[in-house]
Amino acid sequence: MLQTIWVSLPGSWALREPDCHHDGKQRSWKCGFVRTIIQHPCPRHDPKGPGKARMLKKIQICVCFFFVSGILYEISLLSGCFFSYIPMSKHFLTPEQVLNLGKSIIFLETTERLEPTPLVSCSVESAARIYQDRPIILFMKGLTNDTALDMNSSYAAFSLLSSMKNVFIFPLQMETVFQETPLLQWYNEVIPEQEKNWIHVSSDASRLALIWKYGGIYMDTDVISIRPIPEESFLAAQKSQFSSNGIFGFPAHHKFIWDCMENFVLKYNGNLWGNQGPFLMTRMLKTICNLTDFEGTEDHTCQNISFLNPQRFYPIPYPAWSRYYKVWDKSPNFNHSYALHLWNFMNHNRKAVVAGSNTLAENLYKAYCPTTYEDLIQNAEPRDFTPSEDAA
């Protein structure tokens, strides 16, 4: 079956209000009309107009059909069986409809790139496999408002990712994302062409706004998921007393994220790399928590926010990032990790996963994103491996 990644138009972010409202005594005329049709499906015999009666009966049957179909669709959105219906319906869902399902896993691509790299594809695929009951959303700035990419697209990764029933790919519309947040005024005043680190800064801002509005988990596009994260409100320690912003999760409208957005604007310095990213998260966490060093594999908790041990996502620290692309005598089991950050920003296009190399990264691909790995084998000739700028 031909599957299409449907990208919403700017005006389609608003959710459609339900046709029927019930406030105890009042119902809309539409509900009464539909109820009348359901209760009286057969029109009375009209000897003066048999043709008119037949036409009315057909109209009633059609209305009933669409009404029942709509009910089943809405039920599917609200129930655990949602993803059973996704292959037929997901292409017509707007970003807000998917995000409002809750507990999304969100990835961002703030470059103009249209073809996800193998590592981006692996990150999204691994999340889709680990979190099969949750929406996995890849927002891409390079997509236009009317872009439609199908399974026969020249962009192979779109075909691969679109075949996964819980993966959604949408354009990143920053002005819409920043609405009703402290970041909107900053966004309207900043001049991207004059920003030294705009790709990073815009990503830092977008992830905060999306998690505040809808909740869920944000992940960089070089994070390979290996087991579910059990926490709902958490930050990931990159090292003792220092937080990453490459992966974090909170419920919608959490005060900590709102405070981060306000501090983002108040302390904005686009020339200092990380000032709106990991340094922001760290300084905001320090305002409410007395941070101490980690001992062993323990996690820290402060005001209902879990500060997760570096072993959870960063068992290989950034100075040793190249170890992911080396052959190990004995592969680590990562028993204390939920996901692995491969430090693609540190990589700077120097190393890639090569089929048959037996590196740690290749073995991770085999285990956690086998479809991406199979595609990598089939397209073994040299291919673009420009690192995603959101994978810091």
Side-chain angles (χ1 to χ4, degrees):
M1 177 184 297
L2 182 66
Q3 296 195 18
T4 302
I5 298 175
W6 183 85
V7 179
S8 61
L9 295 173
S12 63
W13 274 71
L15 277 174
R16 174 179 57 83
E17 294 293 331
D19 293 335
C20 301
H21 305 277
H22 180 37
D23 56 4
K25 294 183 180 180
Q26 297 181 349
R27 290 177 181 268
S28 69
W29 68 270
K30 293 182 181 180
C31 284
F33 174 70
V34 173
R35 183 176 64 252
T36 300
I37 292 176
I38 294 176
Q39 292 175 347
H40 308 285
C42 298
R44 296 179 179 177
H45 176 65
D46 184 0
K48 296 182 180 180
K52 180 180 179 181
R54 286 195 296 271
M55 181 176 294
L56 180 58
K57 183 175 181 179
K58 291 180 180 179
I59 292 174
Q60 291 170 332
I61 293 173
C62 290
V63 172
C64 287
F65 171 78
F66 287 113
F67 177 72
V68 173
S69 297
I71 291 177
L72 293 175
Y73 176 72
E74 295 295 337
I75 290 175
S76 73
L77 291 181
L78 298 174
S79 68
C81 65
F82 169 72
F83 291 115
S84 298
Y85 296 92
I86 280 300
M88 292 297 292
S89 63
K90 78 171 186 175
H91 313 302
F92 302 101
L93 295 173
T94 66
E96 193 164 62
Q97 285 174 319
V98 177
L99 288 162
N100 278 332
L101 293 171
K103 297 186 176 182
S104 298
I105 311 295
I106 297 173
F107 295 89
L108 293 175
E109 176 61 76
T110 52
T111 70
E112 297 293 335
R113 182 188 295 110
L114 280 176
E115 169 70 340
T117 66
L119 182 52
V120 174
S121 178
C122 184
S123 297
V124 175
E125 180 188 347
S126 65
R129 291 178 179 275
I130 295 299
Y131 303 95
Q132 296 186 23
D133 60 339
R134 302 174 69 164
I136 312 300
I137 306 175
L138 172 61
F139 284 101
M140 301 188 72
K141 185 177 180 294
L143 290 180
T144 60
N145 296 328
D146 55 352
T147 301
L149 298 165
D150 59 36
M151 292 190 69
N152 294 320
S153 168
S154 59
Y155 299 111
F158 275 102
S159 302
L160 186 158
L161 297 176
S162 67
S163 66
M164 301 175 190
K165 63 183 180 180
N166 59 333
V167 172
F168 299 81
I169 304 178
F170 292 120
L172 177 61
Q173 300 170 343
M174 292 185 189
E175 185 172 357
T176 301
V177 169
F178 297 143
Q179 292 291 333
E180 302 177 355
T181 76
L183 297 168
L184 182 60
Q185 182 178 355
W186 160 80
Y187 179 72
N188 288 334
E189 294 175 353
V190 73
I191 303 175
E193 294 77 14
Q194 297 180 3
E195 291 291 318
K196 178 181 178 181
N197 298 300
W198 177 247
I199 289 175
H200 301 289
V201 168
S202 60
S203 176
D204 292 335
S206 298
R207 68 189 71 176
L208 288 173
L210 286 166
I211 294 299
W212 183 81
K213 281 187 171 184
Y214 305 104
I217 296 175
Y218 167 81
M219 293 185 183
D220 274 349
T221 51
D222 59 347
V223 172
I224 297 179
S225 297
I226 62 178
R227 58 177 56 89
I229 302 170
E231 308 290 341
E232 184 177 19
S233 300
F234 72 90
L235 292 171
Q238 185 172 315
K239 59 181 180 179
S240 286
Q241 304 186 41
F242 190 80
S243 176
S244 162
N245 77 327
I247 178 167
F248 61 93
F250 285 89
H253 302 152
H254 196 285
K255 184 179 184 302
F256 180 81
I257 298 298
W258 181 268
D259 292 343
C260 284
M261 291 190 292
E262 289 188 328
N263 190 271
F264 183 105
V265 178
L266 181 65
K267 301 289 187 180
Y268 183 71
N269 183 352
N271 293 322
L272 180 60
W273 188 93
N275 187 61
Q276 272 59 54
F279 292 104
L280 166 66
M281 291 296 202
T282 301
R283 66 177 176 261
M284 293 306 297
L285 187 61
K286 286 182 176 180
T287 63
I288 61 174
C289 300
N290 181 23
L291 299 183
T292 60
D293 289 342
F294 288 96
E295 296 181 4
T297 58
E298 66 177 1
D299 295 321
H300 292 172
T301 302
C302 175
Q303 297 193 14
N304 295 322
I305 298 175
S306 296
F307 191 38
L308 301 184
N309 192 289
Q311 288 295 315
R312 305 294 178 236
F313 308 104
Y314 302 100
I316 296 179
Y318 76 89
W321 66 268
S322 62
R323 297 185 68 192
Y324 279 113
Y325 300 93
K326 292 182 178 179
V327 178
W328 292 50
D329 293 335
K330 182 180 180 181
S331 295
N333 53 38
F334 298 116
N335 285 338
H336 300 295
S337 302
Y338 301 133
L340 303 173
H341 192 288
L342 267 63
W343 304 107
N344 205 35
F345 177 69
M346 302 295 296
N347 188 346
H348 290 302
N349 201 29
R350 283 176 286 186
K351 296 184 182 296
V353 171
V354 178
S357 62
N358 198 33
T359 61
L360 177 58
E362 183 191 15
N363 291 329
L364 292 173
Y365 274 45
K366 289 179 180 179
Y368 301 107
C369 54
T371 305
T372 296
Y373 181 72
E374 182 179 350
D375 178 69
L376 191 67
I377 294 176
Q378 293 175 353
N379 299 277
E381 65 272 15
R383 55 191 297 178
D384 179 20
F385 193 72
T386 305
S388 170
E389 296 295 342
D390 293 308

